[in-house]
Amino acid sequence: MNKRKLKITLYFYLGYLAISAVVAAQLLLNGRTTGPAAAYAATLPWQLLYNLIVWPLLAWLYLKKNTTTNLPDTVFTMAFTWLFNAVAFDIVTRVVIKHPYAMSLKQFFSSQQPWLLLIYIAIFAAPFVGCWLWRRMADTTAPKKKLVIIGGGIGGLTAAVYAAKAGFDTELYEQHSIVGGECTGWDRKGYHIDNCIHWMMGTNPGTDLNRLWQTIGAVGEGIEIKRADRMYTSELDGRQLTLWHDIDRTQREMIELSPEDEPEIRRLMDFCRIGREVRIPADIPPELMSPGDLLKMSRDSGAVMKIFKAYRGMNIQDVMAGFKHPLIGCLLSDFTPADSTGNSFAMSYGNFVSGDGGIPAGASRAMAQRIRAKAESYGARIFTGKGAARILLKGERATGVQLQDGTVVNCDYVVPACDASVTFGRLLPEGYMEPLLKEMYDNRKAYPVYNTFQVALALDCAEDLFPAEMIWPCPELIFTPGMGERITIKSYGYEPSFAPEGKQILQTLQGGSEDVFEFWRELYQDREAYKATKQKLAAQTLAQIEKRFPQTKGKLTVLDAWTPMTYVRYCSAYKGFYQSFMLTKHSAKRPYPSAYIKGLDNVILAGQWISPPGGLPGAAITGKYAVQRILNLEGRSYR
């Protein structure tokens, strides 16, 4: 029996003894004149009254004195434990043990109706009533509880909005000079370089995720959503294939390219159509869901389960093997890496064709600033240029956060929304890391990360020459083992404010394995060599663009180049990757680490690293869930 069930059982016997003492006193008093049987029968209505009073009060007292990370589970455990103990104890004391008031099992269950049934119903219902009392009797006049958030990425900013909105005294500390984490952008020579949003799930109204984005100010009235007619175009050996918003057009062009692949093409596109119906749950943390919530989630997850079942045990490489034409393989792996789970392409493209993947006006930096403004409008205080050094502990609780400048910030709750490799090992001892999260860092085959080299270029041309992302092979740009040969180019013509009038801004991305991080980390030890290498590779990238697209020749200028070390410097990103671990067919069946930390009652995790493979939706959802979990610990409504 675990500690929680032992406490619940002890509370039961405390209540049972109290009720038994009162009933015994009443029984002895009445028995003097009416006899034992009649005296006992007379107490039955009173026993119901005693049970209706005592058990809810005990449930309320238990919840008030014992912090719980899973309120629904605790309440159900209490209800069934108390009911089982009540029935078992009654049988033992009233049937098995012989005494003047003993009776047979048949007499016990039949002669005392309806009172006995009503008493058991009262005992079973008491934890639910006690939970309601606990929430209703929460002291709303008490001083605000203070909540400190570490990390100003989308997860931390979302937590700040929900925490401040819920009435917490909320402070957020971000080490960088600007909030947003990897969801950011910067300016160079009159151009704006956007770092993050290519398309964002949750831009269509009516979903949990869209309601979240609206709550935090990411989208909403007056914020235009930019939408593209295609996701990207892949090129190989002079042939091109495009993922159009019109999925029927995509299917036709794929079949025209490779008629012999028609059966597999139709099958893949059918699953992408199913993917249009997938909705990311973002309402309530799973462990806090009621039976009704779980039923709704089960009903809504039909589409995703069909896709998961079809691609169980497969990765994208396995899906690619089903096609004979190599360009189709490129199309699949250009967006979803070859070792990612087999369902990832159908889910991603399905979301895009549903129309749900748009880009909010202003893109990454503007959206992060809107979320900050929303948090501050509710009273949150956000501090940039102030990193956290460690979380201060006393027993099984955090007492505050010590900043890098030595300042100590005392608080009631801490939400680390930064990279988990920072949380465990720097802010907290590594021993607090749960086994699944530790496995993600230790098992590099099952949970890989990736690296990229990116370049921003100014194009002296008013015409938008690249209306969508284009990906083509460029083996000449492989500068170290582990780098991929395919390079992506993207235009930001949909945001005229990103470039001076009559100009365009382009960005390129060249991907590689996590092993490439060592190349950049070692090179970074010599800053001049690091800077020179970036400039050299950027110039080579420019030359290859001019070679592939002659219309750009003489019109391109390098604005900036950035590497995995850029994400380490500004975001403390693990191995310089701007997302989370990639899930593969070798990953554990349980995909997400717990947001709770065993041994620390008031520290709740947020951020994309506990929601692999990361990205904006996962980060935002964990930020919202962190506050809901804290509200649950406080005995307050989290809906």
Side-chain angles (χ1 to χ4, degrees):
M1 183 181 297
N2 61 35
K3 186 177 179 181
R4 181 183 63 165
K5 285 188 178 180
L6 179 60
K7 277 188 177 182
I8 288 172
T9 302
L10 290 175
Y11 270 74
F12 166 80
Y13 284 108
L14 176 66
Y16 203 94
L17 286 173
I19 293 173
S20 297
V22 174
V23 172
Q26 185 180 8
L27 191 61
L28 289 172
L29 182 64
N30 293 341
R32 293 175 181 174
T33 57
T34 62
Y40 179 79
T43 67
L44 286 173
W46 291 96
Q47 286 187 44
L48 176 60
L49 178 63
Y50 303 150
N51 281 274
L52 287 170
I53 295 172
V54 171
W55 295 115
L57 290 177
L58 275 175
W60 167 77
L61 185 63
Y62 175 89
L63 293 171
K64 183 179 179 182
K65 290 184 174 294
N66 296 275
T67 299
T68 175
T69 57
N70 191 337
L71 186 60
D73 181 64
T74 298
V75 171
F76 274 97
T77 298
M78 191 182 301
F80 283 104
T81 300
W82 283 3
L83 179 62
F84 173 80
N85 278 277
V87 175
F89 195 77
D90 280 348
I91 291 174
V92 170
T93 58
R94 300 187 187 188
V95 177
V96 176
I97 299 175
K98 300 304 177 183
H99 51 78
Y101 304 108
M103 58 189 77
S104 69
L105 192 62
K106 182 178 180 180
Q107 288 175 320
F108 174 68
F109 280 111
S110 63
S111 65
Q112 304 183 73
Q113 301 301 336
W115 304 112
L116 188 63
L117 177 61
L118 292 174
I119 287 170
Y120 288 153
I121 292 173
I123 292 172
F124 182 80
F128 300 94
V129 177
C131 179
W132 177 82
L133 286 171
W134 179 46
R135 293 189 183 281
R136 293 285 295 181
M137 296 172 69
D139 187 1
T140 56
T141 64
K144 286 184 177 182
K145 294 289 183 73
K146 187 168 184 176
L147 188 151
V148 168
I149 300 162
I150 303 173
I154 296 302
L157 288 171
T158 301
V161 173
Y162 277 94
K165 188 172 183 284
F168 287 100
D169 181 8
T170 305
E171 292 184 358
L172 181 150
Y173 293 90
E174 164 58 41
Q175 66 174 1
H176 191 21
S177 60
I178 188 173
V179 297
E182 282 97 359
C183 183
T184 191
W186 56 94
D187 300 322
R188 293 289 185 272
K189 302 177 182 177
Y191 293 81
H192 180 73
I193 299 169
D194 186 79
N195 178 70
C196 183
I197 304 177
H198 287 218
W199 54 280
M200 189 176 83
M201 299 176 71
T203 55
N204 276 352
T207 64
D208 290 348
L209 187 55
N210 182 261
R211 284 187 285 272
L212 186 159
W213 290 134
Q214 291 203 43
T215 298
I216 65 176
V219 303
E221 187 176 352
I223 301 172
E224 183 186 359
I225 301 297
K226 316 280 186 173
R227 303 188 189 276
D229 66 346
R230 70 204 81 177
M231 191 172 175
Y232 60 85
T233 296
S234 293
E235 182 178 294
L236 183 70
D237 298 329
R239 303 291 299 272
Q240 290 185 350
L241 200 54
T242 297
L243 288 177
W244 298 99
H245 180 266
D246 180 352
I247 192 172
D248 295 332
R249 179 178 177 181
T250 299
Q251 178 174 295
R252 286 196 306 272
E253 293 182 2
M254 290 177 75
I255 294 172
E256 289 171 6
L257 173 74
S258 182
E260 59 183 343
D261 282 317
E262 181 173 350
E264 278 300 310
I265 291 169
R266 291 187 179 279
R267 180 174 184 272
L268 176 65
M269 291 297 105
D270 283 345
F271 281 114
C272 292
R273 291 183 178 93
I274 294 174
R276 292 182 298 194
E277 308 305 318
V278 172
R279 299 292 180 265
I280 296 178
D283 188 21
I284 302 171
E287 79 278 8
L288 301 184
M289 288 183 176
S290 68
D293 296 325
L294 292 171
L295 183 63
K296 179 180 181 298
M297 186 176 72
S298 176
R299 186 174 62 247
D300 293 345
S301 64
V304 70
M305 294 310 298
K306 288 179 183 178
I307 297 173
F308 279 11
K309 183 179 179 181
Y311 294 104
R312 182 179 295 129
M314 300 175 67
N315 59 19
I316 290 297
Q317 185 70 51
D318 298 325
V319 179
M320 292 164 60
F323 295 91
K324 297 180 176 61
H325 201 290
L327 178 53
I328 297 178
C330 287
L331 185 79
L332 296 177
S333 62
D334 276 341
F335 185 78
T336 49
D339 51 2
S340 58
T341 53
N343 56 60
S344 53
F345 178 84
M347 298 275 284
S348 300
Y349 183 44
N351 176 261
F352 180 80
V353 299
S354 74
D356 191 38
I359 305 174
S364 308
R365 186 174 70 181
M367 188 177 84
Q369 293 296 340
R370 286 197 298 270
I371 302 173
R372 174 178 183 162
K374 179 66 75 171
E376 290 176 331
S377 74
Y378 286 120
R381 296 182 298 281
I382 295 177
F383 303 92
T384 56
K386 286 185 174 291
R390 64 191 181 106
I391 297 172
L392 304 175
L393 306 178
K394 184 177 181 180
E396 294 189 345
R397 293 186 69 79
T399 60
V401 174
Q402 183 177 3
L403 304 181
Q404 290 173 356
D405 63 7
T407 303
V408 172
V409 182
N410 296 316
C411 61
D412 299 286
Y413 291 97
V414 180
V415 177
C418 47
D419 191 303
S421 64
V422 174
T423 300
F424 300 100
R426 186 189 305 178
L427 302 179
L428 290 171
E430 194 172 324
Y432 280 106
M433 183 183 287
E434 71 138 297
L436 177 58
L437 190 56
K438 189 174 188 305
E439 169 73 4
M440 290 178 167
Y441 282 98
D442 291 345
N443 191 340
R444 305 311 320 124
K445 179 181 180 181
Y447 300 96
V449 297
Y450 300 96
N451 278 189
T452 57
F453 175 67
Q454 300 181 67
V455 181
L457 306 107
L459 175 62
D460 185 11
C461 177
E463 181 185 359
D464 186 1
L465 301 178
F466 304 92
E469 294 185 26
M470 178 175 286
I471 307 157
W472 80 98
C474 198
E476 297 88 348
L477 291 179
I478 297 176
F479 54 85
T480 189
M483 287 304 297
E485 70 166 24
R486 295 182 67 76
I487 184 170
T488 302
I489 189 167
K490 175 180 172 66
S491 165
Y492 289 79
Y494 58 83
E495 279 286 357
S497 64
F498 281 8
E501 188 175 354
K503 314 284 186 181
Q504 299 289 331
I505 182 169
L506 310 176
Q507 289 179 210
T508 66
L509 181 149
Q510 184 183 2
S513 70
E514 68 178 61
D515 296 334
V516 177
F517 175 68
E518 290 304 315
F519 169 85
W520 290 110
R521 188 182 66 81
E522 292 176 11
L523 188 61
Y524 190 71
Q525 305 308 309
D526 182 341
R527 302 296 174 85
E528 290 303 316
Y530 171 77
K531 182 178 179 180
T533 301
K534 285 202 306 177
Q535 292 173 341
K536 175 185 174 183
L537 294 175
Q540 291 175 351
T541 300
L542 184 154
Q544 289 300 320
I545 295 173
E546 289 185 335
K547 178 181 177 182
R548 169 61 188 83
F549 305 101
Q551 65 269 39
T552 66
K553 191 172 182 61
K555 300 178 180 179
L556 292 172
T557 306
V558 173
L559 295 171
D560 201 1
W562 58 106
T563 77
M565 289 307 301
T566 307
Y567 297 104
V568 172
R569 290 173 58 203
Y570 294 106
C571 305
S572 298
Y574 174 67
K575 292 197 173 184
F577 189 44
Y578 46 75
Q579 285 190 234
S580 178
F581 301 106
M582 186 62 62
L583 296 176
T584 70
K585 65 180 182 181
H586 305 291
S587 303
K589 290 182 179 179
R590 178 167 72 97
Y592 307 126
S594 174
Y596 303 103
I597 300 177
K598 188 176 182 179
L600 292 178
D601 293 335
N602 62 336
V603 182
I604 305 294
L605 301 176
Q608 64 175 352
W609 288 91
I610 62 167
S611 182
L616 295 177
I621 291 168
T622 64
K624 177 188 178 183
Y625 282 2
V627 176
Q628 289 178 306
R629 286 165 170 140
I630 290 170
L631 288 169
N632 176 57
L633 295 176
E634 286 286 294
R636 296 171 55 191
S637 174
Y638 47 79
R639 291 181 179 271

